Amino acid sequence: MDGQPAWSKQEFEQRLRAKGDRYHIHHPFHLRMNAGHCTREQVQGWVCNRFYYQISIPLKDAAIFSNCPDREVRREWVKRILDHDGGEGDEGGIEAWIRLGVATGLTREAVTSLEHVLPGVRFAVDAYVNFARTRPWQESVCSSLTELFAPEIHKSRLAGWPQHYPWIEPEGLQYFRNRLSQARRDVEHGLALTLDHFCTRVQQERALEILQFKLDVLWSMLDAMQTAYGLPGGDDVR
């Protein structure tokens, strides 16, 4: 792409958002789950495996924080760590996810022990954290932009799960309610940083590759789960 003019910020943003067609909401496992066609065991398996992702997000964000020399960026980015780890008066997203697991009928220990995390899920998540630790912080910020597509998936769960999975205790869905506002805030910040930093055509193409990498991480996690829990009556993870 050497010599080609950079896209305008508007066109660059449109190309980033167009990657939403490859977001994991379109994975067969997700389509099945959001349509209410998953068994209790499949939902529980998804919750257990996604927990490994949830506890790794603050590690990813801490890596970005430690690699970033810009104090103003760090002041904003640290909010992400607190969103997951919690703070005074806020239990945080990790605790909310554990409560989701309990609401599906899992024990707290079944979720937090990580004994049900599939090797493919662990490999994909670890690759994402390692990317954040070893790449320039601006690239790691860009990799977080799958948040562009997250609010819709949270909305769909809140709208459909109470009808599809009435056996899930309603208070367990609080994680998704919390992320509706948090994800929008995070998107605004991460997108602005990305649009400002990746300003040549070569850099913009690199940004699209980075976002695709993160999309592949999320898709690979569901591939592993589809293999393990793809049939009704799969392994009982309780």
Side-chain angles (χ1 to χ4, degrees):
M1 296 299 172
D2 289 345
Q4 296 197 36
W7 294 309
S8 67
K9 283 189 176 181
Q10 181 180 13
E11 183 176 358
F12 181 30
E13 180 177 345
Q14 288 174 344
R15 288 177 179 268
L16 289 168
R17 290 185 180 277
K19 288 286 189 179
D21 291 343
R22 305 180 188 184
Y23 192 46
H24 64 162
I25 194 173
H26 303 296
H27 191 283
F29 188 94
H30 244 310
L31 292 174
R32 180 177 179 175
M33 184 165 60
N34 287 345
H37 299 318
C38 278
T39 65
R40 183 186 297 259
E41 290 76 17
Q42 289 167 336
V43 173
Q44 290 175 335
W46 177 79
V47 169
C48 281
N49 279 276
R50 282 285 298 193
F51 181 71
Y52 188 65
Y53 179 78
Q54 300 303 322
I55 62 173
S56 297
I57 291 302
L59 303 181
K60 176 268 298 183
D61 286 324
I64 295 174
F65 186 92
S66 66
N67 288 334
C68 177
D70 189 317
R71 181 173 60 174
E72 293 304 316
V73 173
R74 294 199 306 268
R75 282 175 171 170
E76 187 67 23
W77 206 265
V78 73
K79 296 176 184 177
R80 296 170 179 248
I81 299 174
L82 296 176
D83 283 344
H84 280 79
D85 283 347
E88 186 175 353
D90 178 14
E91 66 179 9
I94 291 175
E95 181 61 30
W97 195 269
I98 295 171
R99 292 181 184 276
L100 171 63
V102 172
T104 68
L106 293 163
T107 65
R108 185 182 184 91
E109 182 180 6
V111 179
T112 60
S113 68
L114 306 182
E115 64 182 294
H116 303 297
V117 178
L118 300 167
V121 169
R122 191 182 295 270
F123 183 86
V125 174
D126 289 351
Y128 180 41
V129 175
N130 187 58
F131 180 91
R133 286 172 173 160
T134 58
R135 300 303 303 165
W137 67 270
Q138 297 95 335
E139 290 196 0
S140 303
V141 166
C142 179
S143 72
S144 298
L145 285 182
T146 48
E147 295 161 336
L148 286 166
F149 322 119
E152 291 306 313
I153 202 170
H154 298 320
K155 286 180 183 178
S156 68
R157 290 169 187 156
L158 289 169
W161 279 29
Q163 290 75 40
H164 296 322
Y165 306 113
W167 44 268
I168 298 178
E169 296 295 331
E171 59 269 21
L173 302 180
Q174 187 61 43
Y175 174 88
F176 305 128
R177 298 187 188 96
N178 294 343
R179 286 305 297 167
L180 284 174
S181 59
Q182 293 169 351
R184 290 192 184 97
R185 179 205 67 203
D186 293 346
V187 162
E188 291 177 3
H189 186 226
L191 181 59
L193 291 171
T194 297
L195 295 178
D196 286 342
H197 176 75
F198 295 87
C199 54
T200 70
R201 183 65 171 273
V202 171
Q203 290 173 330
Q204 291 168 337
E205 292 283 356
R206 171 61 179 160
L208 293 176
E209 293 173 356
I210 293 167
L211 183 53
Q212 184 59 56
F213 158 74
K214 174 60 183 310
L215 290 165
D216 290 344
V217 165
L218 296 174
W219 197 274
S220 296
M221 291 170 61
L222 285 176
D223 280 346
M225 287 183 250
Q226 180 72 17
T227 300
Y229 309 122
L231 298 175
D235 292 340
D236 190 341
V237 300
R238 284 173 292 179

